[in-house]
Amino acid sequence: MAQQKPAGRPRKDGSTRPATERLIDAFMELLAEKPLSELTVSTVCRRAGVNRNSFYYHYSDLMDLAEDAIESILDPRVPQMLLTMGTANDAVTDAITADPHWQRRFAKMRALLGPHSTKELTELVRSHVIGFWCDIFRITPEHLNDSERLVLRYVSAGMLDVIGHLEDYSHLGDIRDLLGHAPIVRQGVTAAITALDSARNRQDARNCKPQ
């Protein structure tokens, strides 16, 4: 996550676009071209047209930049869509996937999960997805017990792996075809919803308990 810095620092890179935006864009462009392990702060700065001092003013390292990229790219509607795959709420998926803005962000999300990613990076994305799922059910990840957390990690890992490697399954259809019509996906969605609902009901019961 981008570090909180005092406002008003002068920029010396000759651009009106914030340095963080250009760094995120450069990071995503490079991640689509080569593995994360081959990226360096210097290569990202050169692509962004930002000096290293500016980079370290905002970020401690590339993973700090990556987390900021995830937060700026991951549309909350993506986790919502994943929780409706193969259910009666296909209208949600239709509305989301028809949005050009979502399609651009989804393409960037695929880069975060694709063959150039790392285990650490995909884990960051998965944590954010689970966090959004918890938000939908008005709980926090801390409200999950071990069993519920295991279910959400298992289900989200499978879904995100498919998203990151869509090109391997392109002959089978688009994202909705892949995730929305396989029995195992429907079972996973049901298990995830059940786990989240269980955690919410338990938390609601605690909140209603007399002090």
Side-chain angles (χ1 to χ4, degrees), residues 43-105:
T43 57
V44 173
C45 286
R46 280 196 298 271
R47 178 67 65 92
V50 172
N51 62 56
R52 286 172 59 91
N53 286 340
S54 183
F55 178 95
Y56 286 112
Y57 176 71
H58 296 287
Y59 304 107
S60 59
D61 53 28
L62 283 180
M63 288 309 298
D64 195 20
L65 169 60
E67 184 164 5
D68 203 23
I70 292 170
E71 292 181 356
S72 68
I73 291 167
L74 185 56
D75 191 317
R77 293 174 298 176
V78 173
Q80 180 186 9
M81 179 188 73
L82 295 178
L83 277 185
T84 64
M85 286 294 186
T87 71
N89 295 321
D90 282 340
V92 173
T93 302
D94 291 341
I96 294 172
T97 55
D99 181 355
H101 177 65
W102 177 87
Q103 293 170 4
R104 290 190 294 271
R105 295 179 76 170

Side-chain angles (χ1 to χ4, degrees), residues 8-197:
R9 179 184 174 93
R11 302 186 186 281
K12 299 182 179 180
D13 44 39
S15 173
T16 57
R17 287 186 66 208
T20 52
E21 286 186 12
R22 284 180 290 139
L23 286 166
I24 288 172
D25 286 348
F27 174 78
M28 295 307 306
E29 290 173 5
L30 288 166
L31 187 61
E33 298 171 8
K34 60 181 67 176
L36 178 60
S37 59
E38 296 181 12
L39 301 188
T40 66
V41 170
S42 294
T43 57
V44 173
C45 286
R46 280 196 298 271
R47 178 67 65 92
V50 172
N51 62 56
R52 286 172 59 91
N53 286 340
S54 183
F55 178 95
Y56 286 112
Y57 176 71
H58 296 287
Y59 304 107
S60 59
D61 53 28
L62 283 180
M63 288 309 298
D64 195 20
L65 169 60
E67 184 164 5
D68 203 23
I70 292 170
E71 292 181 356
S72 68
I73 291 167
L74 185 56
D75 191 317
R77 293 174 298 176
V78 173
Q80 180 186 9
M81 179 188 73
L82 295 178
L83 277 185
T84 64
M85 286 294 186
T87 71
N89 295 321
D90 282 340
V92 173
T93 302
D94 291 341
I96 294 172
T97 55
D99 181 355
H101 177 65
W102 177 87
Q103 293 170 4
R104 290 190 294 271
R105 295 179 76 170
F106 185 68
K108 292 180 179 180
M109 180 179 170
R110 286 181 56 196
L112 291 168
L113 298 165
H116 291 166
S117 186
T118 64
K119 181 178 180 181
E120 185 179 4
L121 188 54
T122 55
E123 179 63 26
L124 280 175
V125 177
R126 179 166 58 179
S127 295
H128 278 75
V129 167
I130 291 176
F132 278 123
W133 282 353
C134 289
D135 288 343
I136 293 172
F137 281 75
R138 303 189 306 280
I139 58 174
T140 69
E142 289 71 27
H143 292 141
L144 301 168
N145 61 30
D146 289 344
S147 177
E148 293 156 351
R149 189 173 294 107
L150 176 62
V151 168
L152 298 185
R153 286 179 57 85
Y154 181 84
V155 173
S156 61
M159 289 181 166
L160 295 178
D161 182 72
V162 172
I163 290 174
H165 298 82
L166 279 180
E167 64 278 0
D168 296 339
Y169 310 102
S170 59
H171 61 289
L172 299 177
D174 60 15
I175 180 65
R176 177 174 171 175
D177 294 324
L178 290 173
L179 292 179
H181 300 289
I184 187 63
V185 174
R186 291 195 293 272
Q187 293 167 12
V189 167
T190 299
I193 292 174
T194 299
L196 290 160
D197 202 38

